Amino acid sequence: MSGVRIQRFLGLLRAFARNRGAVLGMAIIAAVVIVALAAPLMFNYSPLRIVGRPEQWPFTSWRFPLGTDSLGRDVAAMVVYGARTTLMIGIVASLTATVIGVTVGAVAAYFGGWVDEVLTRITELFQTIPNIIFIMSVVAILGQRMENITIAIGLIMWPQIARLTRAEFMSLRDREFVQACKTMGMGNFRIMAGEILPNALPSVIVLASLVVASAILFEAAVAFLGLGDPNVASWGALIGDGRSLIRTSWYICAIPGFAIMLTVLALNLVGDGLNDALNPRLRDR
Amino acid sequence: MQPLLDVRELEVKLFTRSGTVTAIDRLSFTVEEKETVALVGESGCGKSMTALAIMGLLPSPPARLTGGEVLLQGRDLARLGDSAMQKVRGRQISMIFQDPMSSLNPVMTIGAQLSEILRRHMGLTGASARKRAIELLAQVRIPDPQRRYDAYPHELSGGMNQRVVIAMAIACEPKLLIADEPTTALDVTIQSQILKLLRDLQLAYGMGIIFITHDLGVVAEMADRAVVMYAGRKIEEAPIDPLFEQPLHPYTRGLIGSTPAAEGRHSRLAEIPGSVPSLRDLPAGCAFSNRCPSVFAACHSERPPLIRPAPERAAACLLVQP
């Protein structure tokens, strides 16, 4: 039994690895994850502590390889700790959006009729709200805390997942195997979660990986506008802090900006690779 | 003795935006234990709708059961609630569909799908479910069932998949099996293997079979009795031999005439002109009157009642004398 399973998993890996970009993306993300996990080992002090003279340029001192910011905080420490925040926000927000989106989309498509009508209208309502304004309002009302920002991003990202899930469920719902499951006496929840969802999952996973990337960008935008969590180091916050010095000490914005760009690019590459590997229409059987 | 399944005056209506039509018009028939009853007719005559009505799975909206009883060993399934009906499905009645490729979940192994039913309805767990699943696969004559257990549907042929579907249908030893055109999507050689398999399983388990088909060749091979349907109505019912020797309804004669015979008849096949009328605008009187070769004046105004000219036979045609 397990032999067959392992073989199939290796086949999936091969399909993924055929896409060079995806492997590169995976490597970058792995590096970011390792750095994030190892942050306390690399810097045993809080990244928000003032440790030296402000505005030291990168590569000018051994102590601060990436320089210091306008307050004299270690940019390298902030980037490394910021990786934790950024990844956490990206993953949790994407997970929130996926759970809400899949639930709404699945229920809407499976039951159809007025249930679909109502849920689709709600989805469309959320889509008409300008994203960044919604996030800023939520953060302004609930307070500038990491949890609030994450939830706000999750709340604004779910409609696209709901729409994809709904479309997938619509086409799967009328397939004969669903009818067959009903004739075997399975309940609605069982059919939705156990039978249809596994069929829809590949496309949802691909989209969810792209939502992680967008969530990271949203966090950066919110922090840049000064609405980030002041008690947590994040890449967006660092850019925000450096924006007043962009003419003189542009490295303060550029370094975290480069980190964001690299991570988002990597996530998109991985999304492409997952699409190639998981999408049965593209995969050779 | 009470029959295994007794469908009485079953009526299904479709409530659509452009009006209400009757999809099944007071259909009655019975199925005994170990008996195979064929539901015969062209596409759109209400065969599959009948099957879904028995299963309690009518697509609603637009379809709704508006009358009649479905008695399984005396218990009326039409009055049963959703959760009670769920226990009947799969356990007492199960169903096989036309296209085996699409009636299996493409992302689950056939073993997983088979043991899921065993766990659900038979209370088996882990290793014993797997063992029984492999037994069932062997029983439907799948070679090397140990290895096939971990195969996905796309790794098997259509005939193999239909065997898996049959294994799933008989997993709980149902009393009644509804087979909705189970061989239409298969090659002719595979077709006869599957039919033989179904007959053997019927002998082994003693279940009643409702066999839905438009292929009279298959009817002759499989069924004990046939119910011929047209536009939602039963128009003829007879045991197989008299049906082929002496069909009463012109429509049945037409169906038999349009079936190629085995012993190389080189004449052109007879056809029934026209097609099944839309349920929305059925002709007044007899629904078949606009295609019938023996039509006469009264057919256009008078709806033929179902009469029983002989024991076990019934036909709805004005030409049939009681």
Side-chain angles (χ1 to χ4, degrees):
Chain A
M1 166 181 165
S2 54
V4 182
R5 286 278 151 83
I6 289 167
Q7 249 177 33
R8 286 208 182 90
F9 181 72
L10 287 178
L12 220 61
L13 266 184
R14 252 197 303 279
F16 183 82
R18 215 176 292 147
N19 185 334
R20 294 282 163 77
V23 176
L24 179 68
M26 208 61 195
I28 294 172
I29 289 174
V32 173
V33 169
I34 290 169
V35 165
L37 288 176
L41 301 176
M42 296 160 80
F43 300 94
N44 59 357
Y45 49 85
S46 159
L48 298 176
R49 230 178 66 194
I50 294 170
V51 289
R53 195 163 48 78
E55 289 187 64
Q56 295 184 43
W57 277 71
F59 312 119
T60 53
S61 93
W62 280 110
R63 256 192 85 202
F64 309 116
L66 293 180
T68 57
D69 75 349
S70 58
L71 297 173
R73 296 177 295 193
D74 185 350
V75 172
M78 286 178 78
V79 168
V80 168
Y81 275 92
R84 303 188 126 196
T85 320
T86 301
L87 282 183
M88 189 61 95
I89 287 184
I91 291 166
V92 175
S94 172
L95 220 60
T96 313
T98 307
V99 169
I100 301 176
V102 165
T103 311
V104 170
V107 169
Y110 187 81
F111 291 106
W114 65 268
V115 178
D116 184 27
E117 203 72 28
V118 169
L119 290 176
T120 306
R121 291 296 161 271
I122 293 174
T123 311
E124 281 167 358
L125 184 75
F126 267 86
Q127 278 194 308
T128 59
I129 303 172
N131 296 347
I132 198 77
I133 292 181
F134 177 84
I135 297 171
M136 282 164 61
S137 317
V138 172
V139 173
I141 294 165
L142 296 179
Q144 286 173 251
R145 311 225 336 254
M146 220 72 245
E147 303 91 279
N148 299 339
I149 298 169
T150 311
I151 288 170
I153 295 173
L155 278 180
I156 204 65
M157 303 295 281
W158 67 264
Q160 44 175 320
I161 294 185
R163 285 173 66 111
L164 174 78
T165 311
R166 179 172 172 271
E168 290 279 331
F169 265 62
M170 286 281 227
S171 70
L172 291 165
R173 178 191 65 179
D174 297 324
R175 293 273 288 279
E176 232 166 35
F177 77 85
V178 175
Q179 189 76 3
C181 290
K182 287 184 188 163
T183 66
M184 280 164 224
M186 288 191 202
N188 288 331
F189 178 75
R190 172 110 226 170
I191 294 177
M192 272 197 278
E195 302 285 334
I196 305 184
L197 187 59
N199 282 282
L201 219 47
S203 4
V204 172
I205 290 175
V206 172
L207 184 58
S209 75
L210 299 179
V211 166
V212 175
S214 328
I216 290 174
L217 288 176
F218 270 123
E219 190 277 329
V222 169
F224 178 80
L225 292 170
L227 285 167
D229 190 332
N231 302 315
V232 179
S234 87
W235 293 347
L238 191 53
I239 299 178
D241 285 343
R243 75 181 189 276
S244 53
L245 299 170
I246 199 155
R247 281 161 193 273
T248 51
S249 305
W250 53 264
Y251 66 90
I252 302 175
C253 290
I255 291 169
F258 183 71
I260 290 176
M261 191 201 79
L262 210 61
T263 311
V264 170
L265 175 72
L267 281 166
N268 278 288
L269 290 174
V270 168
D272 269 358
L274 282 177
N275 199 23
D276 289 353
L278 294 177
N279 196 327
R281 283 173 284 274
L282 297 175
R283 187 172 70 201
D284 51 349
R285 287 197 146 162
Chain B
M1 208 191 98
Q2 90 181 8
L4 173 67
L5 179 81
D6 191 354
V7 177
R8 290 183 187 165
E9 305 274 299
L10 188 74
E11 187 181 67
V12 173
K13 286 191 169 151
L14 301 176
F15 295 87
T16 62
R17 256 168 232 187
S18 47
T20 303
V21 294
T22 306
I24 298 175
D25 189 0
R26 298 178 55 186
L27 176 74
S28 302
F29 65 93
T30 61
V31 182
E32 305 286 343
E33 273 171 42
K34 301 183 188 174
E35 186 189 35
T36 302
V37 174
L39 286 185
V40 192
E42 286 167 283
S43 320
C45 70
K47 297 167 297 184
S48 298
M49 195 68 95
T50 307
L52 293 178
I54 294 170
M55 286 299 242
L57 287 173
L58 285 172
S60 154
R64 190 134 41 93
L65 190 71
T66 48
E69 295 173 321
V70 179
L71 301 172
L72 183 74
Q73 293 182 320
R75 186 159 71 136
D76 188 2
L77 302 182
R79 307 265 170 297
L80 232 48
D82 262 355
S83 59
M85 197 59 211
Q86 254 177 41
K87 293 200 183 74
V88 173
R89 285 181 213 132
R91 190 85 176 77
Q92 299 184 0
I93 309 180
S94 57
M95 193 161 167
I96 309 172
F97 292 91
Q98 180 172 343
D99 186 357
M101 284 300 190
S102 61
S103 53
L104 291 167
N105 192 335
V107 300
M108 287 166 71
T109 62
I110 59 167
Q113 299 184 52
L114 194 48
S115 34
E116 151 117 40
I117 303 168
L118 293 167
R119 275 198 298 272
R120 186 175 180 72
H121 283 306
M122 305 298 271
L124 297 182
T125 48
S128 59
R130 183 187 164 88
K131 186 162 160 279
R132 175 77 184 124
I134 289 172
E135 276 172 29
L136 282 164
L137 290 178
Q139 200 167 14
V140 293
R141 295 179 207 133
I142 287 179
D144 201 357
Q146 297 272 0
R147 210 162 58 83
R148 295 284 193 268
Y149 184 90
D150 288 311
Y152 283 92
H154 68 83
E155 295 168 332
L156 299 180
S157 68
M160 280 300 149
N161 275 325
Q162 193 62 299
R163 285 167 196 270
V164 174
V165 172
I166 292 171
M168 289 168 77
I170 61 161
C172 303
E173 299 170 19
K175 296 170 188 141
L176 180 70
L177 178 70
I178 302 177
D180 189 353
E181 309 233 6
T183 54
T184 311
L186 303 175
D187 292 347
V188 185
T189 47
I190 309 293
Q191 203 169 39
S192 59
Q193 288 174 18
I194 295 285
L195 292 180
K196 176 159 182 348
L197 175 66
L198 280 174
R199 277 196 309 268
D200 293 349
L201 291 171
Q202 183 177 32
L203 278 180
Y205 288 96
M207 59 198 169
I209 297 182
I210 297 179
F211 201 94
I212 296 174
T213 183
H214 60 263
D215 184 344
L216 281 177
V218 174
V219 173
E221 200 172 332
M222 269 309 276
D224 302 309
R225 240 160 7 99
V227 172
V228 184
M229 290 181 72
Y230 190 80
R233 229 185 139 200
K234 174 165 84 177
I235 54 155
E236 177 155 8
E237 177 176 357
I240 288 307
D241 293 341
L243 184 82
F244 281 94
E245 280 155 21
Q246 193 191 32
L248 295 177
H249 199 285
Y251 178 63
T252 316
R253 280 201 290 275
L255 281 182
I256 293 172
S258 58
T259 306
E263 51 277 354
R265 216 173 41 178
H266 293 295
S267 61
R268 192 166 180 242
L269 282 180
E271 55 177 323
I272 307 175
S275 58
V276 183
S278 153
L279 289 171
R280 224 176 288 289
D281 42 26
L282 287 180
C286 176
F288 189 54
S289 58
N290 59 344
R291 301 169 71 191
C292 185
S294 342
V295 66
F296 60 102
C299 295
H300 295 297
S301 55
E302 200 178 326
R303 191 185 151 95
L306 195 70
I307 47 180
R308 305 190 169 277
E312 296 199 299
R313 296 206 67 168
C317 178
L318 294 176
L319 289 170
V320 176
Q321 297 307 314

